Amino acid sequence: MEADTSTTGWQLNTRRRWLAESVELLSSMRFAISLLTLISIASVIGTVLKQNEPMSNYVNQFGPFWFEVFGKLDLYAVYSTWWFMAIMGFLVISTSLCLIRNAPKMVRDMRSWRDNVREQSLRNFHYRREWQADAAPEQVVEQAAACITAHGYRSKVVEKDGGTLIAARKGTANKWGYIFAHASIVIICLGGLLDSDLPIRIQQLLYDKTPFAGNGLIAEIPAQHRLGIGNPSFRGNTMIPEGGSSSTAIVPQQDGVLIQDLPFSIRLTRFVIEYYSTGMPRLFASEVTVTDHDSGASFPATIKVNEPLIHRGFAVYQSSFEDGGSQLELQGYAMRGGAYRTFALEGTVGNATELGPDRGGDYTIEWSGFRPFNVENMAQEGQDVRAVNPNQGFNRRLAEGLDRHLGSAAKTVDIREFRNVGPSVQYKLRDRNGQAREYHNYMQPVEVDGAYVFLAGVRESPNEPFRFLRIPADDNDSVEEWMRLRAALLNPALRERAARAYAARALPDARAAADGLRVQLQASALRGLTIFAGDEESAGYVAVSQFLERIPAQEQEKAADIFMKILHGSLWDLWQFARQQDGLPAIAADDRHARFLQLSANAYSDAFFYGSPVYLQLRGFEEIKASVLQVTRSPGKNIVYLGCLLLTIGVFSMFYIRERRLWIWIKPESGGGTQAMMAMSSQRQTLDFEKEFDTLGQQLAQSGRD
């Protein structure tokens, strides 16, 4: 039995020692600093890496491998991850334990006069001063107490060991700074946890709430994907078009969204936006009508940036603005085949339109955006659509040779100012395999290097900048002449007629015809037009460069000059025949039309990289604006404010309030008179402290002699 009792006691002592060591670790300064370091690292990650973006954006940015690695670490929503909340929780526990252990000691020390000191211990102080007084001890005590009181000290008089001890203190509120600073960390963390995703995670755990990842009307989404009105904390968004209303907010999650029901509905009466002279937004605000579901009462309100609407504990902020489903009217042009075909098309931003084989291919047009005007800096690098695959088929020497023949459409625009380039439409063209390219076409022509062109942008993914095809504007400020020339280039019969006409025009005399020179020139012109027209592998100047690469290097430059001269000449005749075929008169041969033809050839070459079966030009629109509002419920906000106030008071107290302790030992001398000794201490012994010690010592000694 004695052995069993001994074993049990040993186990109990072991458990107690383990518990004590655990508490000691959790409440230690090194543990708290480690947690703060981890929080700082997580905050840096959350700042550098955009949070709560669509997963497809992260795949495009990092690639499949690193996307999976970062996803396993939950780096796409750092502040709502379990490990970040666990660190916050441990920081609360650590700081709370530290307060529990040290705050009572500090309070007792602040209330203590430390009057248990003896004369000998005061003689060991570094800051000590002694003097003799002629007055009686009672008078010296009274004068000394009055002097130190005048300096802001609170004192206590104690009779002991045949003498009198005056114990004084000043600045003991310094220790409140420590308590307030540590308490503020606990309060701020608790407020942050309350305003985090923790309440939503608890609901997902206890009430089987799951994110919704499908499509459908918000009103028809099942209850397991909806959060009730009593949800204490959330942060969501709602987009309301003009004339529309909403009584829900969308709370994004990593694998879908949750629907947060609101106790009121918001109707957007009008969206107001004002601009600077440069065209940049200066102010945007939402004029809304709020209807309370319980009382049925309605009231108007205006929500501006930094001026939210507060109703029933919910805050509604003006976040941004989007298109609310603008109605678009477009003209479509076929970009494939040798026929000049156009068709009318309508679309609604946010919806999709089937293109159909009869209109250029089996595609779906997803209308993603519309802007009534655009302020652009056209000097951005990489605007040329050929940047998709620059120098394909070129060697450096040949590229430099052909560059003399490329007009402004093949060079980077260099405009050093922001300009309003008018309305634009943005859409994705998706094939039946799910592959899509995004396009951004401007409605009006833009002046570039002295010529007006229509800008048609393309990019492969949202992370890339748009690269622009520049289609020259014709005499009617349209793309029709370029489209007509493009179709003619792909028509073998028109190419043959144009080659024949060019040879006859270049060699009109009968002798050239008899010698066969005209036939040879006709064959060269037809071959040049055919090469330039291209195929599925290459077209335009890329196809020309591939052809010229077969010629010996020393003859390439001369061959390129001859080839381009014949090509441009035959293109002129091809253009005339294309107009004649459509019943239009011939074009006057002047510099303006020669410039247009050069730009048209450049645009045709670049169109190979544009990669679209159709070109869609915006012709008209009915704009519908939509306001994006952020709806929040954050009861922890006031708690965080309280914590910040305590932190400010605590830091101020610790840095600007200095605790000083003062003792004065007074005792009578055997021959008459009084002997006095002063000792003083402080946590921070600065020059100000030494000056205060000298001043106070001199005044006390002088008062004893008076």
Side-chain angles (χ1 to χ4, degrees):
M1 288 297 294
E2 292 181 359
D4 293 340
T5 303
S6 175
T7 302
T8 304
W10 177 82
Q11 293 175 344
L12 182 60
N13 291 334
T14 301
R15 285 196 296 268
R16 288 177 176 174
R17 186 167 58 253
W18 178 85
L19 180 61
E21 291 176 353
S22 300
V23 171
E24 179 70 25
L25 174 64
L26 288 175
S27 60
S28 65
M29 180 65 73
R30 63 179 183 275
F31 186 75
I33 292 176
S34 300
L35 293 175
L36 288 173
T37 302
L38 293 176
I39 291 176
S40 300
I41 294 173
S43 299
V44 170
I45 295 174
T47 302
V48 174
L49 183 63
K50 290 184 178 180
Q51 300 291 288
N52 299 312
E53 292 282 309
M55 291 297 109
S56 57
N57 291 4
Y58 296 121
V59 175
N60 295 332
Q61 184 176 358
F62 301 116
F65 175 76
W66 288 110
F67 169 76
E68 291 291 339
V69 173
F70 294 161
K72 294 294 184 183
L73 298 174
D74 291 329
L75 298 186
Y76 305 131
V78 170
Y79 304 115
S80 59
T81 57
W82 66 267
W83 53 264
F84 185 81
M85 292 185 183
I87 294 174
M88 294 280 285
F90 274 111
L91 183 59
V92 170
I93 294 173
S94 175
T95 311
S96 299
L97 288 175
C98 187
L99 274 175
I100 293 172
R101 293 182 61 193
N102 297 314
K105 300 177 183 177
M106 291 185 174
V107 173
R108 288 194 300 268
D109 186 66
M110 284 188 291
R111 299 177 62 183
S112 172
W113 293 99
R114 300 185 186 176
D115 54 358
N116 56 347
V117 297
R118 297 183 179 276
E119 179 182 1
Q120 186 59 40
S121 61
L122 293 178
R123 294 187 181 280
N124 295 327
F125 275 61
H126 177 71
Y127 290 93
R128 185 189 76 255
R129 182 168 186 154
E130 299 184 44
W131 68 93
Q132 304 289 331
D134 297 331
E138 294 79 6
Q139 185 179 358
V140 174
V141 169
E142 182 179 352
Q143 292 174 345
C147 180
I148 62 176
T149 301
H151 281 267
Y153 284 84
R154 299 176 62 190
S155 61
K156 178 183 179 182
V157 180
V158 180
E159 300 291 341
K160 58 186 302 184
D161 298 337
T164 302
L165 174 67
I166 301 177
R169 65 191 183 200
K170 179 181 179 181
T172 53
N174 170 273
K175 289 185 171 57
W176 282 113
Y178 174 92
I179 296 174
F180 285 167
H182 284 70
S184 67
I185 296 176
V186 176
I187 293 172
I188 291 173
C189 289
L190 289 176
L193 288 174
L194 185 59
D195 281 352
S196 69
D197 281 353
L198 187 59
I200 294 179
R201 288 177 177 268
I202 293 175
Q203 293 181 69
Q204 290 176 328
L205 180 64
L206 299 181
Y207 302 108
D208 297 327
K209 299 293 183 180
T210 57
F212 180 72
N215 296 313
L217 297 175
I218 292 179
E220 298 176 356
I221 294 178
Q224 66 265 28
H225 308 304
R226 310 180 78 95
L227 301 173
I229 297 175
N231 181 25
S233 173
F234 70 90
R235 187 181 301 273
N237 296 296
T238 181
M239 188 178 78
I240 310 175
E242 285 184 323
S245 62
S246 174
S247 60
T248 58
I250 307 299
V251 181
Q253 301 289 296
Q254 285 192 6
D255 49 353
V257 297
L258 290 169
I259 309 301
Q260 173 65 58
D261 292 317
L262 304 176
F264 54 87
S265 60
I266 305 173
R267 179 179 179 83
L268 180 62
T269 306
R270 188 167 73 101
F271 184 78
V272 181
I273 182 169
E274 299 177 2
Y275 299 91
Y276 291 106
S277 58
T278 59
M280 302 298 290
R282 182 177 68 87
L283 176 146
F284 48 93
S286 300
E287 296 180 359
V288 302
T289 300
V290 180
T291 302
D292 191 279
H293 292 170
D294 293 337
S295 64
S298 299
F299 61 91
T302 300
I303 306 173
K304 300 180 181 179
V305 177
N306 297 327
E307 296 182 18
L309 165 69
I310 309 295
H311 182 61
R312 295 184 59 174
F314 295 81
V316 184
Y317 295 87
Q318 180 66 62
S319 176
S320 62
F321 58 92
E322 296 288 345
D323 192 283
S326 296
Q327 305 296 314
L328 309 175
E329 298 177 5
L330 303 101
Q331 184 79 12
Y333 296 88
M335 293 277 283
R336 292 178 182 172
Y340 173 55
R341 293 183 293 118
T342 65
F343 56 89
L345 194 67
E346 294 182 352
T348 301
V349 175
N351 294 342
T353 302
E354 296 296 327
L355 187 61
D358 58 327
R359 292 182 170 180
D362 196 9
Y363 292 87
T364 299
I365 306 173
E366 300 173 0
W367 308 103
S368 55
F370 164 76
R371 296 178 182 175
F373 64 85
N374 296 264
V375 178
E376 302 286 357
N377 181 7
M378 307 306 296
Q380 296 174 1
E381 295 183 0
Q383 276 192 313
D384 195 333
V385 75
R386 292 189 301 125
V388 173
N389 193 357
N391 295 335
Q392 179 178 347
F394 283 75
N395 60 47
R396 177 178 293 274
R397 179 180 173 188
L398 186 56
E400 293 174 352
L402 281 178
D403 192 59
R404 300 195 310 272
H405 304 284
L406 303 183
S408 62
K411 294 180 174 62
T412 300
V413 183
D414 188 15
I415 300 176
R416 301 295 181 180
E417 59 183 13
F418 288 93
R419 297 164 58 189
N420 180 13
V421 295
S424 68
V425 60
Q426 193 167 322
Y427 60 90
K428 289 182 180 179
L429 202 60
R430 192 176 301 276
D431 61 22
R432 295 308 170 197
N433 296 324
Q435 301 297 315
R437 276 187 171 186
E438 191 170 13
Y439 297 90
H440 188 189
N441 297 346
Y442 290 86
M443 181 179 183
Q444 301 171 354
V446 180
E447 185 178 6
V448 176
D449 287 351
Y452 282 91
V453 296
F454 288 90
L455 297 176
V458 60
R459 64 182 178 186
E460 305 294 332
S461 71
N463 294 326
E464 298 177 359
F466 281 103
R467 300 172 297 272
F468 290 95
L469 170 67
R470 301 169 181 87
I471 303 176
D474 56 27
D475 294 345
N476 297 321
D477 286 333
S478 72
V479 299
E480 293 181 357
E481 289 301 320
W482 184 81
M483 290 293 176
R484 184 176 286 112
L485 179 61
R486 182 212 64 79
L489 261 171
L490 296 177
N491 188 320
L494 285 181
R495 290 201 301 263
E496 186 173 352
R497 289 180 61 188
R500 188 184 307 115
Y502 168 73
R505 181 166 56 87
L507 298 173
D509 58 316
R511 182 176 179 181
D515 294 341
L517 296 179
R518 185 181 298 173
V519 175
Q520 295 178 16
L521 182 59
Q522 176 182 339
S524 297
L526 179 59
R527 187 174 188 182
L529 287 173
T530 303
I531 292 173
F532 192 76
D535 51 28
E536 294 183 356
E537 298 296 328
S538 62
Y541 294 120
V542 173
V544 173
S545 71
Q546 292 173 346
F547 168 75
L548 294 176
E549 282 178 342
R550 305 170 191 169
I551 300 174
Q554 63 272 17
E555 300 179 8
Q556 284 182 0
E557 185 174 354
K558 180 180 179 180
D561 290 336
I562 297 173
F563 188 99
M564 298 304 296
K565 181 178 179 180
I566 295 174
L567 175 63
H568 285 161
S570 55
L571 279 175
W572 177 266
D573 291 284
L574 180 67
W575 186 17
Q576 303 301 324
F577 281 121
R579 289 181 56 85
Q580 180 182 345
Q581 179 178 266
D582 292 342
L584 299 173
I587 288 290
D590 53 29
D591 292 341
R592 181 163 60 90
H593 291 112
R595 171 70 166 164
F596 174 83
L597 187 64
Q598 182 186 32
L599 295 176
S600 296
N602 297 336
Y604 180 87
S605 178
D606 293 346
F608 177 78
F609 301 106
Y610 187 60
S612 174
V614 294
Y615 169 73
L616 302 180
Q617 185 181 22
L618 186 64
R619 289 296 178 89
F621 57 86
E622 179 185 352
E623 184 186 10
I624 300 176
K625 302 184 184 73
S627 178
V628 179
L629 304 175
Q630 185 182 80
V631 186
T632 67
R633 196 177 195 180
S634 51
K637 178 178 64 176
N638 294 331
I639 298 177
V640 172
Y641 288 162
L642 173 61
C644 292
L645 176 62
L646 292 179
L647 180 62
T648 303
I649 295 174
V651 171
F652 179 86
S653 300
M654 286 191 295
F655 282 94
Y656 295 101
I657 299 178
R658 294 178 294 110
E659 181 184 9
R660 277 93 77 198
R661 295 281 183 166
L662 175 65
W663 297 268
I664 303 175
W665 186 273
I666 301 172
K667 67 178 183 179
E669 288 189 332
S670 58
T674 303
Q675 181 181 1
M677 178 175 58
M678 178 190 76
M680 193 171 178
S681 69
S682 176
Q683 291 176 331
R684 295 194 300 271
Q685 297 176 359
T686 61
L687 293 176
D688 290 339
F689 170 75
E690 294 180 356
K691 183 178 179 181
E692 181 180 2
F693 172 77
D694 293 337
T695 302
L696 192 56
Q698 292 174 6
Q699 292 180 1
L700 287 171
Q702 184 64 33
S703 65
R705 297 190 183 98
D706 294 341

